[in-house]
Amino acid sequence: MNSSASHDVYIRKVAACFAWMIVIHVLACIYFTVTPKYYPLHRTAIALLYKRVFLIGPFYTEHRISISPSLYIRYKESVGEWSPLVDYGSDLHRQYYSAPWRYDRLKQDDLMRHFMREAFNTKWKHSHDPAEISNTKQFCTLSAFITKELIGKENVDSIHLIYSFSAFSAEQSAFKVDTVWNITFNPKQTCDIR
Amino acid sequence: MTYDRLIAWLSSGFQNQKAVTVFCKAVLILTLLRILFLWNASLVMVKYHHLSTPRSWSGKIMLAPSVLAGDHFSLVYIFFITLLIIGVFIRWNYLSGAIFFWITLNLYRITMPLTNGADQVQLALAVCMIFMVSTPYFKSPKMMAWQNVVFNASVLATQLIIVFVYFISGWDKLMTASWRTGDAFLMISNLQHLINPFFKDLLTNSIINIALAWITILFELTFVVFVWFRSTRIFTLIAGVLFHVTIAIVLNLPEFALMMSVSYLVFLKDTDYVFIKNRLPESSKS
């Protein structure tokens, strides 16, 4: 056997190793896609690696699109009256539509909703004590973000948040709006996270 | 593709070197644009999203920029931009691949609360791109054989990642009643943080919603098959670009649309570029 032929044999052996890896990868992807989440292997480290890196999605799953959260904010300075309730998310979107290169506006809305969601999730852990909620890291982050980035005023004395979910009901084929959190707080009395 | 054809494809030289190089550079340019467009939002975010220092030394080295970004955000981003610009102009190699993965990993960590499908796709592409080096790196024929097969395998792995993005999404939709009935689009019309108000009313029509839902399901599931055949590949990719442009406009997701469209470049062949070049007017060729 000449050296060229032996090289061909070697490269085909290496290719065979990778071909098997690819076949196993495809089978794993199909398995994690079509089988229900309670099936074996779905909670293993391999499944986690696949769902993070190799098997991206699914997008627009029902549970992600069925609820639309909204956050309305009003505030009062040390002197003066309450401001009107503002949906800052819609404001940020409007800014994006008038200048589509300001994509960061949409991201700022994403960030606001992320902080709101994080704070809301802690509400359930501390629902027995409102004072405890306002001292959680998540609530402090939300408070600081709203005060500095959205309202942008120094002398804010009180902030009123109304967090609502608009959910789709398949039976009635209609949307139902629920206020899930209605809270007023003094941002100066919540912890300073930085 | 049968097993023998797969082995032959993996072992017969570097497949579509030019097309793969274009793909790698395009991903780098897109990352550069994403950094620039998201600069303001990332700057706001690092103020509130405190990143801890990893305990292990390897973790500290790998994630050092993300930790530094908390206090020296601009410095870290300028450093990344510089590396990406250098990466665009130099020949793609293992070092540039590893550095790109390092940048992507750190960007992913810095912008964690803002990450979306585009970031996940970029991370997956960055892993595969490390191995997409077609410049001969080794003198030993055995090592060259490895480099050759690893190159082809990483290209195929990237293609499979993109294909499975559609398969998992299409399958999930097919298995979900609200997608089959078109109600999913009615739900989407209610997502204030996503929907472009201009299209909101359009998505309240049940007939349009059923049609859109099934077009989406069929596109996602047929992409998985048609992208592999010579006769349907280009049409499938063009349909994919149109699909993502529509999503970008209707659902305000330009980032994901661009990332998916750029990822399609990995499906192109060197001959496609020759075909395009031959059809360009003489003046633009020069």
Side-chain angles (χ1 to χ4, degrees):
Chain A
M1 192 184 283
N2 62 31
S3 74
S4 171
S6 72
H7 181 258
D8 282 354
V9 170
Y10 183 78
I11 198 167
R12 284 184 71 85
K13 276 183 185 169
V14 175
C17 292
F18 279 89
W20 274 108
M21 282 164 65
I22 285 164
V23 169
I24 292 166
H25 168 67
V26 169
L27 292 175
C29 285
I30 293 171
Y31 177 83
F32 289 128
T33 301
V34 302
T35 57
K37 288 193 172 72
Y38 57 81
Y39 266 47
L41 295 175
H42 270 275
R43 290 177 186 274
T44 59
I46 297 169
L48 200 68
L49 176 75
Y50 262 82
K51 284 167 190 176
R52 280 271 168 89
V53 183
F54 301 118
L55 197 53
I56 301 161
F59 299 110
Y60 303 104
T61 54
E62 193 178 58
H63 88 276
R64 288 200 172 226
I65 59 174
S66 58
I67 292 175
S68 174
S70 296
L71 175 63
Y72 300 92
I73 303 168
R74 65 176 183 157
Y75 63 92
K76 191 167 85 67
E77 291 183 78
S78 337
V79 181
E81 294 183 346
W82 282 96
S83 70
L85 271 173
V86 176
D87 179 353
Y88 283 95
S90 294
D91 271 2
L92 290 164
H93 277 248
R94 269 192 291 274
Q95 287 173 34
Y96 168 71
Y97 296 130
S98 58
W101 57 91
R102 292 302 309 270
Y103 183 61
D104 61 295
R105 298 278 125 192
L106 292 186
K107 286 290 183 176
Q108 204 155 338
D109 174 47
D110 284 351
L111 199 56
M112 180 184 76
R113 288 186 301 106
H114 167 79
F115 290 144
M116 187 65 225
R117 199 167 48 239
E118 294 269 297
F120 180 66
N121 289 341
T122 60
K123 178 183 181 258
W124 300 107
K125 291 178 194 161
H126 306 279
S127 57
H128 57 283
D129 185 1
E132 205 180 320
I133 302 166
S134 63
N135 278 318
T136 58
K137 186 184 159 201
Q138 290 82 354
F139 193 86
C140 296
T141 306
L142 176 70
S143 167
F145 180 79
I146 290 172
T147 312
K148 291 174 191 163
E149 308 300 334
L150 298 181
I151 299 172
K153 287 184 178 171
E154 288 290 319
N155 291 324
V156 176
D157 177 63
S158 301
I159 294 176
H160 180 198
L161 302 181
I162 298 174
Y163 192 44
S164 65
F165 284 171
S166 170
F168 181 75
S169 160
E171 291 82 32
Q172 296 164 348
S173 198
F175 295 101
K176 188 181 158 204
V177 181
D178 262 338
T179 297
V180 290
W181 206 8
N182 189 339
I183 186 168
T184 306
F185 61 95
N186 181 346
K188 286 172 188 158
Q189 285 174 8
T190 56
C191 51
D192 185 7
I193 57 151
R194 299 278 295 176
Chain B
M1 191 183 272
T2 62
Y3 180 71
D4 282 340
R5 279 182 68 190
L6 177 61
I7 290 179
W9 189 85
L10 286 171
S11 58
S12 56
F14 296 103
Q15 302 282 349
N16 303 300
Q17 294 179 52
K18 283 180 190 163
V20 172
T21 305
V22 171
F23 160 74
C24 291
K25 298 289 167 89
V27 175
L28 251 65
I29 292 168
L30 181 59
T31 308
L32 197 60
L33 291 174
R34 291 183 72 205
I35 289 179
L36 293 171
F37 276 90
L38 293 179
W39 187 294
N40 287 341
S42 307
L43 185 59
V44 171
M45 200 194 53
V46 291
K47 283 194 226 167
Y48 303 97
H49 173 57
H50 180 67
L51 291 164
S52 57
T53 310
R55 286 183 187 173
S56 67
W57 275 104
S58 56
K60 282 188 176 92
I61 293 166
M62 274 301 281
L63 301 171
S66 66
V67 177
L68 279 172
D71 294 320
H72 307 284
F73 173 82
S74 299
L75 199 67
V76 170
Y77 267 37
I78 288 168
F79 177 59
F80 283 168
I81 288 169
T82 311
L83 290 177
L84 287 169
I85 291 172
I86 293 169
V88 170
F89 289 103
I90 62 167
R91 195 186 284 261
W92 189 252
N93 58 61
Y94 287 116
L95 184 64
S96 52
I99 289 174
F100 180 64
F101 170 71
W102 182 62
I103 290 172
T104 300
L105 190 68
N106 278 282
L107 284 174
Y108 192 84
R109 192 164 185 256
I110 292 168
T111 58
M112 186 67 93
L114 296 176
T115 52
N116 56 26
D119 297 275
Q120 278 183 284
V121 172
Q122 188 182 315
L123 190 63
L125 298 184
V127 173
C128 296
M129 281 163 62
I130 298 173
F131 308 104
M132 290 184 192
V133 179
S134 54
T135 316
Y137 233 74
F138 306 99
K139 283 180 182 162
S140 142
K142 284 192 174 180
M143 288 306 291
M144 269 310 295
W146 276 90
Q147 188 189 342
N148 183 349
V149 176
V150 167
F151 173 91
N152 293 336
S154 62
V155 172
L156 186 55
T158 309
Q159 293 171 337
L160 287 169
I161 286 169
I162 302 304
V163 161
F164 275 101
V165 167
Y166 293 109
F167 182 60
I168 194 170
S169 285
W171 183 265
D172 179 77
K173 289 177 177 73
L174 190 65
M175 293 293 120
T176 310
S178 60
W179 272 98
R180 291 194 303 267
T181 58
D183 279 347
F185 274 100
L186 192 59
M187 293 179 192
I188 288 171
S189 75
N190 185 45
L191 297 176
Q192 287 180 13
H193 57 278
L194 269 186
I195 189 78
N196 185 333
F198 188 74
F199 298 97
K200 195 177 164 76
D201 291 339
L202 184 78
L203 299 182
T204 52
N205 182 312
S206 59
I207 295 168
I208 291 176
N209 284 351
I210 291 173
L212 289 175
W214 279 99
I215 287 170
T216 307
I217 293 169
L218 288 175
F219 166 73
E220 291 186 334
L221 292 177
T222 53
F223 182 97
V224 176
V225 179
F226 290 151
V227 80
W228 301 111
F229 298 107
R230 190 184 295 174
S231 55
T232 50
R233 185 168 43 87
I234 296 294
F235 294 110
T236 307
L237 296 178
I238 291 169
V241 172
L242 293 174
F243 177 75
H244 286 292
V245 168
T246 309
I247 293 175
I249 296 167
V250 177
L251 297 178
N252 296 325
L253 282 170
E255 238 186 319
F256 187 64
L258 279 170
M259 184 53 74
M260 290 308 289
S261 302
V262 164
S263 74
Y264 286 177
L265 294 172
V266 81
F267 289 98
L268 294 184
K269 316 276 181 210
D270 286 353
T271 48
D272 295 328
Y273 287 98
V274 175
F275 179 84
I276 294 165
K277 199 178 171 186
N278 289 343
R279 266 144 194 82
L280 284 175
E282 281 303 318
S283 56
S284 55
K285 278 184 203 174
S286 57

